[in-house]
Amino acid sequence: MKFESKYSVTVNRIKSNIIRELLKTATAEGIISFGGGIPDPETFPVEKLSKIANDVIMNEYKVALQYGSTEGDPELIKQYIRLLKKYEDIHCLNEENIMITTGSQQALFILGTVFLDEDSYCAVSKPIYLGAGSAFNQRNPNYISIPLEKDGMNLDILESELKKLEKEGKIDKFKFVYTVSNFHNPAGITLSLEKRKKLIELAEKYDFIIIEDDPYGALRFEGEKLPSIFKLNEGKRVILLNTFSKVLSPGLRIGVIIANEELIRKMVLAKQGMDLCSSTLTQRIAARFMEKHDLFEEIQPTIKLYKEKKDKFMEALDKYLGDIEDIEWIHPEGGLFSWIILPEGFDTMEMFEIAKEKKIIYIPGETFYVEEPERNTMRVSFCLPSFEELEEGTKRLRETIEEYAKKKGINLKIK
Ligand SMILES: Cc1ncc(COP(=O)(O)O)c(C=O)c1O
C-alpha cells in the first residue's frame, strides 16, 4: 500500500529531531560529546529510589499500579505545593492550581492544544528550546521570534511587534510569550529581574499569558536566585512549568504545571485525550521520595559537580578560543548549557563533519530556530564530559574551527 495520501498535514510538517539523529553518532569509541542535554546517570539516587519503588509496589499497588486521575497523584501534588512554598516562596496555591504531566514536554504540547490555532500568534525566544518548537508547530501558529540578549529576551523588540499587531487589529490573536527563565536551553541565559518585571507589565498592557518554562532553576551554581515570573505576578497570568527530569530523573517522566485553576481545568480536558493520566507508579515513587528526602538538598553534590565542570569548561574556552576575534560564549550561572557564537561565515552544521572526524560532538545552533536560523551558533553542554575531556574536547574544537575556516577561506582574525 502507498501511505503518502493518508498522512495528515500536521504529521507531514514534522521534521525529524536533528539532535536525536546527531547523538546517534555520539557513541563511537573516543568521542567527546558536548551534545547531550541530559543529566549524568551517576547522579541518580539509585539506592534510595529502588528501595522506595519496591515499597510502593509492595504496599501501595492498589493505587500505584492502577489508573489515576488526570490531574495527577494527590500525594505528589501535596508534596509539590510544600516544595514551592519552601523553595520558591509561593504560598498562593492549592490542589486546583497543579496538574502533573508526562514530562514538561507533554505540558508544552497541552499548552499548544489549549491556546493555539492556525491564526494565533505567540512570541518565542530566538533561539528556542527545540521541544517547544516541536510541540507548538503541531498547531501551526504564527511565531514572533525575539532575539536573546545576555539578560534575556529583547523586550523592546517584543513591544514593537505587539504594537504592530495592535495596529493591524490582530492583538486579540496574540496568546502568549514562551520563555525559559533560568539557564535557557540552548543559550544558557537567565532573564534578569528587571526584564521579568517588564515582561509582566507588557503582559498586562497587551493582555497576554506568559509561559515560564523552568526545568533548570534548581540547578543554580552561582549568582543570586531570582524570583520566578510566576511569583512576581502571583500566578495571575503566568503558567509555570517544572519537571523532575533535571532534579531527580528524566526516566520518571514527571512534569508539573502550576497555573490559575480555570486554566488547569482546560488543560485537564486536553490531557484526557492524550494519555488519561501520567504514570501513577512513578508519581507515587516521586511523592514518597519527596516525603522522605529533601529533593533540592539531594541534588547539592550534583550542582557542585556541574559548577566545577562549568568552571573548567570556561577556563578551556578562554585558553583555546579566547584569542579569536568575534567569537563569544555565554557564562551560565546554572543549568547544563553554554552557547557559542562563531564569527560570521561559519556554518556549524556544515562544520559538524570536521568535528566528527576530530571526535567531538556539539549541537549545531540552526536546530533551535522556528524561523531563519543563525548558522554560526552551537549549543555545548559541559555536564557529561570528564574534566580531562572538557580540556581535550575544547582543544579539538579549536582545531575544528581552524580547519573549517581554512577550507572555506574564512580569515580567522586573531587578537
Ligand atoms: C526548556 C525545556 N523545557 C522542557 C523540557 C522537557 O523536559 P521533560 O523531560 O520534563 O519532558 C526540556 C528538556 O530538556 C527543556 O530543556
Side-chain angles (χ1 to χ4, degrees):
M1 182 177 172
K2 288 207 163 46
F3 298 116
E4 272 89 289
S5 64
K6 306 296 177 203
Y7 294 135
S8 68
V9 174
T10 304
V11 84
N12 278 335
R13 244 191 337 253
I14 303 173
K15 289 188 253 140
S16 88
N17 181 329
I18 299 177
I19 296 192
R20 289 185 182 277
E21 296 297 317
L22 293 180
L23 292 182
K24 274 188 205 156
T25 58
T27 49
E29 184 67 20
I31 288 260
I32 298 175
S33 177
F34 297 116
I38 57 175
D40 183 342
E42 297 309 321
T43 66
F44 299 149
V46 176
E47 304 246 315
K48 287 175 182 156
L49 272 176
S50 72
K51 165 135 196 9
I52 290 170
N54 188 54
D55 290 349
V56 164
I57 292 176
M58 294 306 289
N59 305 325
E60 300 193 75
Y61 64 90
K62 287 190 182 160
V63 177
L65 298 180
Q66 187 55 278
Y67 288 111
S69 76
T70 308
E71 288 83 348
D73 182 354
E75 291 294 311
L76 181 58
I77 291 176
K78 195 168 84 189
Q79 291 301 328
Y80 214 81
I81 291 175
R82 197 172 60 84
L83 178 116
L84 288 168
K85 266 190 202 152
K86 183 169 173 191
Y87 284 103
E88 302 299 328
D89 198 22
I90 296 174
H91 298 269
C92 57
L93 301 176
N94 60 47
E95 301 73 44
E96 266 118 59
N97 297 114
I98 306 244
M99 179 168 88
I100 305 295
T101 55
T102 305
S104 280
Q105 189 56 38
Q106 187 188 48
L108 293 167
F109 194 84
I110 290 172
L111 293 172
T113 307
V114 168
F115 294 118
L116 297 176
D117 294 305
E118 293 219 350
D119 62 351
S120 302
Y121 288 79
C122 60
V124 300
S125 59
K126 179 180 162 184
I128 181 181
Y129 163 56
L130 178 68
S134 313
F136 302 156
N137 278 347
Q138 308 233 0
R139 310 294 302 164
N140 208 18
N142 300 289
Y143 288 108
I144 300 177
S145 290
I146 310 294
L148 280 180
E149 300 173 302
K150 293 248 161 82
D151 59 350
M153 268 186 187
N154 182 326
L155 297 183
D156 294 335
I157 295 184
L158 174 64
E159 183 156 24
S160 75
E161 292 291 333
L162 292 167
K163 281 191 179 138
K164 229 189 272 170
L165 282 184
E166 203 171 39
K167 235 190 208 157
E168 292 166 1
K170 292 181 185 157
I171 195 72
D172 59 324
K173 299 284 181 201
F174 185 79
K175 303 298 181 74
F176 61 75
V177 169
Y178 167 73
T179 177
V180 178
S181 46
N182 296 303
F183 327 127
H184 188 279
N185 179 5
I189 283 168
T190 295
L191 189 68
S192 66
L193 182 58
E194 206 188 337
K195 284 196 170 174
R196 287 172 196 230
K197 290 182 182 162
K198 173 79 182 161
L199 184 58
I200 294 170
E201 270 171 46
L202 289 177
E204 274 160 5
K205 185 165 166 196
Y206 293 93
D207 194 26
F208 60 82
I209 289 167
I210 300 168
I211 299 177
E212 178 179 21
D213 188 5
D214 188 22
Y216 304 106
L219 301 181
R220 178 177 280 284
F221 37 62
E222 60 196 37
E224 195 189 333
K225 178 174 163 59
L226 297 177
S228 63
I229 314 173
F230 184 96
K231 159 80 187 161
L232 291 171
N233 180 247
E234 308 237 309
K236 289 202 255 324
R237 51 175 70 242
V238 184
I239 299 170
L240 176 61
L241 307 185
N242 280 177
T243 173
F244 282 70
S245 290
K246 307 292 158 49
V247 291
L248 187 54
S249 139
L252 296 173
R253 304 308 300 130
I254 302 176
V256 186
I257 305 183
I258 303 123
N260 170 289
E261 55 264 34
E262 181 192 325
L263 295 178
I264 292 283
R265 282 198 294 276
K266 280 284 183 207
M267 294 178 212
V268 168
L269 297 180
K271 181 173 159 73
Q272 275 166 0
M274 292 176 194
D275 62 359
L276 303 178
C277 63
S278 294
S279 161
T280 43
L281 178 58
T282 62
Q283 286 185 75
R284 187 51 65 95
I285 292 170
R288 296 298 173 228
F289 187 91
M290 289 176 80
E291 209 174 68
K292 288 197 173 62
H293 309 285
D294 184 316
L295 197 57
F296 290 169
E297 279 300 315
E298 292 287 318
I299 53 163
Q300 289 314 310
T302 305
I303 294 176
K304 186 169 169 283
L305 178 68
Y306 288 166
K307 174 172 165 45
E308 284 163 10
K309 289 198 174 181
K310 186 275 295 177
D311 286 345
K312 173 75 199 170
F313 187 43
M314 293 295 123
E315 199 186 293
L317 285 169
D318 273 336
K319 180 168 163 191
Y320 293 107
L321 306 186
D323 63 336
I324 303 176
E325 287 273 11
D326 302 325
I327 188 167
E328 280 182 73
W329 56 87
I330 297 296
H331 288 74
E333 292 189 333
L336 310 179
F337 308 110
S338 176
W339 179 248
I340 302 181
I341 306 166
L342 297 176
E344 285 298 322
F346 274 83
D347 178 332
T348 54
M349 184 63 85
E350 204 177 56
M351 190 170 86
F352 194 73
E353 284 309 310
I354 301 178
K356 270 199 308 194
E357 281 164 26
K358 304 261 175 222
K359 296 202 165 174
I360 51 164
I361 301 278
Y362 56 78
I363 306 293
E366 71 166 70
T367 37
F368 301 103
Y369 294 82
V370 284
E371 295 171 313
E372 198 42 42
E374 291 155 326
R375 296 183 194 280
N376 56 335
T377 55
M378 65 171 79
R379 187 187 81 180
V380 275
S381 174
F382 45 82
C383 61
L384 278 183
S386 67
F387 290 93
E388 297 72 39
E389 284 174 337
L390 285 167
E391 169 93 19
E392 173 61 23
T394 314
K395 184 164 159 255
R396 291 187 205 170
L397 180 60
R398 168 65 183 242
E399 290 163 14
T400 304
I401 290 171
E402 278 185 358
E403 204 167 308
Y404 181 81
K406 200 161 154 208
K407 191 168 153 202
K408 301 294 284 186
I410 299 170
N411 179 19
L412 209 55
K413 289 191 215 132
I414 304 298
K415 284 177 195 162

